[in-house]
Amino acid sequence: MSVRGMPVSRRVKTGLGALAGALLLALVPLPSGPVQAAEAPEIRAADADAEDSAMTLSGKKGPYDDFSDLEVTVHQTENLRAQGVEVTWKGPETSTSTDYMNFLQIMQCWGDGAAGPEREQCEYGLNNASDRNLGLRTLPKGTDPLERKYAEAPAGSNPFVPFQPVVGEPTDTNTDATYFSNNDTNAQPYLRMRQDGTGEAVFEVKSALEAPYLGCGEIDPAAGRTTPRRCWLVVIPRGTHDPNGSSEVSTGLTTSALSQTNWDQRMVFPMDFSPVGDTCPADKQERRVIGSELLTDAITSWQTQLCSGADARFSFSQSGEDYARRLIENPTSTSPGTAITVAPVEGGTEVVHAPVAVSALTVGFFWEDGNAGQVRDLKLSPRLLAKLLTGSYPYDIREMTFQDPVPDHLKTNALSLIVDPEFRKLNPYFDRDTAPQLGPNAIILQAGNSDVNALIWRYLQSDTEAREFLEGKPDPWGMKVNSFYLPLGLDKDAPIDFPKADPTLTEVSMTTGDEIRKISYGQLEKSPYSNDMHNGALKVRRGSNGATFQPAQDVSAPSGVKLVAPNVIPGQRKAYAFVDAVSAMRYGLNFAALPNADGVYVKPTADALLKAVDRMPDSAVAGVKAPTPATAKNGAYPLTAVAYAVAPLDQPADARRDYARLIRYAAGPGQTLGLEPGELPPGYAPMPKTMRDQALSAADRLERGKPADPDAPPSDENSVAGSSGGGSAAAEETGGSTGGDGSGTTAGAGDGGATDGGAGADGGTPDPSDAPGASTGSGTGGSGSPGPANSGLASSGGLTPGEVLGIVRWVLLGVLVAGGVAALAGPVLLRLSVRRAATGGSG
């Protein structure tokens, strides 16, 4: 029965119930702290899902070395993508600490047989492991008495094991880099066992996107392959003997892992990948999304579930947020219908801003310390970061030793981070009585423009010591900012990029015959960019920033010489980068602790991220949180950011419906942490309920579209975040759709779009100077046009949950009292109450 038709006696009972409810609400005590953060899981919570598929295998006795007591564990074997996988081992104590004895060799292989791969199917080779045969496919004659298949070769050469790809011709020489090279192979030919018999590594596995020659996870319904292709991780233990029985302590082992005797000792782990391929039919209507890398991994995970049962699919193109905003503000008929940004759209375009993901920036690192294993903990102050971002360490500008001359403008500075007294004071582990070293090379920074880059600069400016260093004030040990960065005003301006401003060139030479050939390198070669944050994390996992400063012969170059990267020696790999927490988690990097506004060093746990979100003020657009390091207190992580889906209201109705479905999925099932397709990958923090409700309200508003009368206010202005000055924040509408529908539109890869593993993004970020409409995605998305600004989504982010709940409690109290009085007062007041509720309770 309708309200208007409710019997009078029921109206009286309803009114009394409302008044009683109001009294009870007023007496309920408020929580004392940020309840959302208190319930937040750790950012690594999904590690438990990975461990569910962990597998442990034991070795066996060989002709000379007994590995029966060796146990190797691969800590994730299911739901894999391009990522890092932890591998640990334990066995008996080793009798020697000699180099190149007692170690593991690990490789990734394809192979459709149930027993595992053949040696020809493994990515291995072209990794020389310090100029010895351990990392090659060569099998020198006479070194293995059990070798039969590759015992002979043409005169003057040694036999080798060719690599056979899934599709294509096998390699025809030992140095054939058709499929992989020394620069991108994931093979690990030398992972030392410690003297107590233990060890650990994070192995980079590749899906069919990164390594089509392996085809891991590939599906191809047209070819009859409807389930993902299984691949294999092969671990080969090595002891103190080569296959012929030699055991020369002075030289160590020298034979390839693929030699028959060594191959016979292999331990084979099945590796099951998530589907790779077009899991959503291409004939469905395409809806284009463009923007922040912060959402790349999430939307990739959501693809399959979003596509199921839907009549449209999504393509996501990773780009700088500034470029994405311009496509929304100045749309064309081919512009994407939704952008993913951190900072809001502030122009005249009438849009909704829906929060879809919470993540953070971090310094991810992988530092080996020789026989001691890996460094797990680092502390980096804002001033140390300021030194790194401004090329203020001479070692980040040119390759050098402690004896080499320092450029004049850097003469007073510590040669590198690791010998900086400030760094050693924070990290006493490095202040030991050992031989000094200068590595690692420069920190890796992404090349593209991004809102999150500006967040890093604002973090430095929020710290007095870092800001004064950027102004030109020396630190207590006399180190000054690189003078070429002073004119950039980085103590005040927060650019969306990382400039390389030092023009210093260093000349190097090499002799070929009687001729000396010379070439120069500069900051860009010694401190190269990564394509994006995902690519930066991958470089760190491989243990090198990719610096090229060594000369090598190149007959195709005009000078006959080129610059190459030096060999990366296992046990001495050190690299670090500013990356998103999701990419750092994906490749198993360690997190550096950074100080928040209280000066407390914190890491990006889910709890710390949600505490930061809880304290963020609104941006210029009400309801859209502004990442603000200066407010990150009480355990909050200072480099936290929120990704928003921004969609114009004047798109066609079918496009609005599809984009609303994507937002609902993101705010619903898409916030479940896990490794299964459709879940939220590790590195994100599940959004608090207030943000999920905010997104659902925005989705409802988007689906309703722009009001018919352009002069009339929106029917539900609380779910719209428009241009700056768009009105005060309002309580969020909670009566809309719950977004529980798991079906929706798919985030399938468009041309150049970011797919699993960041593919597409590696092709570079679209140039912000490109004309609007030059999206990297394919197909035609919904169009949009400018419209009037609207009011914001939510109440100020500067309030704590307790404060917000307190305000809401008194608002609800007033509503309940008014409703009760209306019910008791009769039909006139009742109708007035209903009319007010229908308009959002405004007077």
Side-chain angles (χ1 to χ4, degrees):
M1 183 180 294
S2 68
V3 173
R4 302 184 77 175
M6 184 183 296
V8 173
S9 60
R10 289 185 59 189
R11 291 201 305 269
V12 171
K13 292 178 180 178
T14 300
L16 292 173
L19 290 172
L23 180 60
L24 179 63
L25 178 66
L27 297 176
V28 173
L30 289 174
S32 59
V35 294
Q36 298 157 349
E39 299 173 353
E42 290 298 308
I43 206 166
R44 293 182 181 267
D47 283 1
D49 293 340
E51 289 293 338
D52 287 344
S53 64
M55 178 179 290
T56 299
L57 296 177
S58 297
K60 56 188 176 183
K61 191 178 188 308
Y64 303 103
D65 296 300
D66 187 357
F67 301 107
S68 302
D69 293 330
L70 173 67
E71 289 186 348
V72 177
T73 300
V74 176
H75 290 261
Q76 183 183 349
T77 62
E78 297 177 1
N79 296 315
L80 296 165
R81 49 186 177 154
Q83 64 176 81
V85 173
E86 186 178 10
V87 181
T88 59
W89 55 92
K90 60 181 179 179
E93 293 184 3
T94 60
S95 59
T96 176
S97 60
T98 302
D99 287 344
Y100 301 109
M101 285 186 171
N102 296 309
F103 56 92
L104 300 186
Q105 300 181 294
I106 307 181
M107 63 196 78
Q108 183 179 349
C109 314
W110 70 277
D112 294 332
E118 302 295 334
R119 337 176 233 183
E120 295 84 357
Q121 298 169 322
C122 296
E123 177 171 337
Y124 195 83
L126 302 178
N127 188 326
N128 213 3
S130 188
D131 299 323
R132 55 183 53 234
N133 199 42
L134 293 176
L136 301 181
R137 305 183 74 94
T138 304
L139 309 181
K141 296 177 183 179
T143 57
D144 187 350
L146 296 185
E147 184 60 56
R148 299 288 185 269
K149 188 173 183 179
Y150 299 105
E152 300 295 333
S157 64
N158 281 311
F160 73 99
V161 180
F163 172 71
Q164 174 62 62
V166 169
V167 177
E169 296 297 319
T171 54
D172 55 13
T173 68
N174 186 48
T175 57
D176 187 341
T178 301
Y179 303 106
F180 51 87
S181 72
N182 188 47
N183 294 324
D184 59 15
T185 182
N186 62 357
Q188 295 291 320
Y190 182 65
L191 295 168
R192 296 195 61 171
M193 300 181 192
R194 290 190 282 264
Q195 286 190 268
D196 64 358
T198 65
E200 73 281 328
V202 176
F203 185 88
E204 173 205 343
V205 295
K206 301 178 181 180
S207 76
L209 289 172
E210 298 75 29
Y213 48 84
L214 294 175
C216 304
E218 182 180 36
I219 59 171
D220 186 2
R225 180 177 290 278
T226 58
T227 58
R229 182 191 298 276
R230 168 175 279 186
C231 278
W232 310 86
L233 201 67
V234 173
V235 177
I236 297 178
R238 305 294 297 274
T240 59
H241 296 82
D242 271 322
N244 62 3
S246 65
S247 180
E248 185 57 57
V249 174
S250 62
T251 60
L253 307 185
T254 60
T255 53
S256 170
L258 303 184
S259 185
Q260 186 66 60
T261 298
N262 297 329
W263 178 254
D264 288 346
Q265 295 298 114
R266 67 191 181 278
M267 305 160 73
V268 181
F269 297 83
M271 305 294 280
D272 292 322
F273 284 72
S274 296
V276 174
D278 195 353
T279 57
C280 196
D283 58 354
K284 291 188 176 185
Q285 172 69 46
E286 182 184 32
R287 302 298 182 196
R288 297 179 58 211
V289 182
I290 189 171
S292 177
E293 186 178 358
L294 285 182
L295 196 67
T296 297
D297 278 52
I299 202 168
T300 299
S301 173
W302 299 339
Q303 287 180 8
T304 302
Q305 295 300 319
L306 286 169
C307 180
S308 177
D311 57 3
R313 66 188 181 96
F314 280 81
S315 64
F316 176 69
S317 301
Q318 185 176 294
S319 81
E321 296 90 343
D322 185 60
Y323 178 71
R325 278 190 294 272
R326 287 198 287 123
L327 292 180
I328 296 297
E329 293 168 334
N330 302 288
T332 69
S333 60
T334 60
S335 291
T338 294
I340 307 299
T341 74
V342 176
V345 170
E346 298 183 40
T349 305
E350 191 173 359
V351 299
V352 294
H353 288 82
V356 288
V358 174
S359 190
L361 277 292
T362 184
V363 176
F365 68 94
F366 169 45
W367 285 17
E368 291 179 321
D369 189 23
N371 295 334
Q374 292 186 36
V375 175
R376 298 291 187 181
D377 295 296
L378 284 180
K379 290 182 178 179
L380 295 174
S381 69
R383 185 165 56 196
L384 287 172
L385 296 176
K387 296 172 182 180
L388 290 167
L389 267 59
T390 56
S392 295
Y393 293 112
Y395 191 69
D396 293 351
I397 301 299
R398 57 167 297 177
E399 181 67 8
M400 60 189 307
T401 67
F402 287 98
Q403 290 73 41
D404 290 331
V406 176
D408 288 342
H409 62 292
L410 300 174
K411 277 192 179 299
T412 62
N413 291 0
L415 295 183
S416 72
L417 172 74
I418 207 166
V419 297
D420 187 336
E422 180 177 3
F423 175 81
R424 294 195 164 214
K425 182 178 180 181
L426 276 175
N427 301 276
Y429 173 82
F430 295 92
D431 198 13
R432 297 169 296 159
D433 189 20
T434 59
Q437 53 182 312
L438 289 175
N441 281 317
I443 193 169
I444 301 171
L445 306 169
Q446 66 166 328
N449 296 337
S450 176
D451 290 348
V452 296
N453 296 345
L455 170 59
I456 294 171
W457 291 113
R458 288 197 297 272
Y459 173 55
L460 303 187
Q461 294 161 5
S462 71
D463 178 81
T464 301
E465 291 180 345
R467 184 176 63 253
E468 290 178 344
F469 181 83
L470 293 172
E471 290 173 352
K473 181 180 178 180
D475 74 1
W477 299 272
M479 182 168 176
K480 297 180 180 178
V481 67
N482 187 326
S483 57
F484 290 108
Y485 283 80
L486 280 174
L488 302 182
L490 297 173
D491 57 310
K492 300 180 183 67
D493 296 333
I496 58 175
D497 65 346
F498 297 115
K500 303 283 188 183
D502 193 319
T504 302
L505 292 178
T506 300
E507 186 179 75
V508 291
S509 62
M510 66 175 299
T511 302
T512 54
D514 296 331
E515 187 175 1
I516 298 177
R517 302 180 184 273
K518 298 181 179 180
I519 191 171
S520 296
Y521 67 86
Q523 187 181 13
L524 277 173
E525 288 77 27
K526 191 62 167 62
S527 306
Y529 288 113
S530 64
N531 292 335
D532 55 24
M533 292 186 290
H534 173 274
N535 177 248
L538 179 56
K539 286 186 174 184
V540 174
R541 170 45 49 212
R542 293 174 179 173
S544 171
N545 72 346
T548 54
F549 52 84
Q550 289 187 351
Q553 187 173 359
D554 183 3
V555 295
S556 64
S559 62
V561 66
K562 64 179 179 181
L563 295 169
V564 298
N567 284 336
V568 180
I569 307 301
Q572 301 176 21
R573 294 172 292 190
K574 291 183 178 67
Y576 54 160
F578 260 118
V579 296
D580 59 304
V582 182
S583 294
M585 283 290 301
R586 181 170 183 159
Y587 286 103
L589 307 184
N590 294 302
F591 296 110
L594 306 178
N596 61 15
D598 289 326
V600 177
Y601 281 81
V602 291
K603 293 184 180 181
T605 64
D607 180 77
L609 267 58
L610 293 183
K611 285 180 178 178
V613 169
D614 185 63
R615 300 186 64 86
M616 285 181 187
D618 277 3
S619 65
V621 172
V624 178
K625 300 283 190 180
T628 310
T631 66
K633 298 181 178 181
N634 299 328
Y637 182 72
L639 296 182
T640 303
V642 181
Y644 287 86
V646 185
L649 290 174
D650 57 358
Q651 301 182 71
D654 58 344
R656 296 197 315 274
R657 181 179 62 251
D658 292 335
Y659 287 120
R661 183 175 295 174
L662 171 62
I663 293 171
R664 290 184 183 118
Y665 186 88
Q671 291 301 308
T672 300
L673 269 177
L675 300 173
E676 296 283 347
E679 294 180 332
L680 192 67
Y684 292 102
M687 291 195 301
K689 185 178 185 301
T690 52
M691 280 191 162
R692 296 197 302 270
D693 290 344
Q694 179 181 346
L696 296 175
S697 294
D700 292 344
R701 179 67 185 97
L702 175 62
E703 189 162 0
R704 286 194 296 271
K706 191 175 179 180
D709 180 2
D711 296 324
S715 60
D716 180 13
E717 65 181 17
N718 294 339
S719 66
V720 181
S723 64
S724 58
S728 61
E732 295 148 358
E733 177 184 284
T734 59
S737 169
T738 62
D741 183 7
S743 63
T745 49
T746 175
D751 293 344
T755 57
D756 186 37
D762 285 350
T765 302
D767 187 341
S769 65
D770 291 346
S775 169
T776 58
S778 63
T780 303
S783 61
S785 58
N790 289 279
S791 62
L793 270 171
S795 58
S796 170
L799 300 175
T800 67
E803 292 167 334
V804 172
L805 186 54
I807 294 171
V808 171
R809 179 173 68 174
W810 292 111
V811 171
L812 289 177
L813 176 61
V815 171
L816 287 171
V817 171
V821 171
L824 294 172
V828 174
L829 288 179
L830 175 63
R831 285 195 293 273
L832 177 60
S833 174
V834 172
R835 184 164 62 248
R836 287 171 59 86
T839 58
S842 59

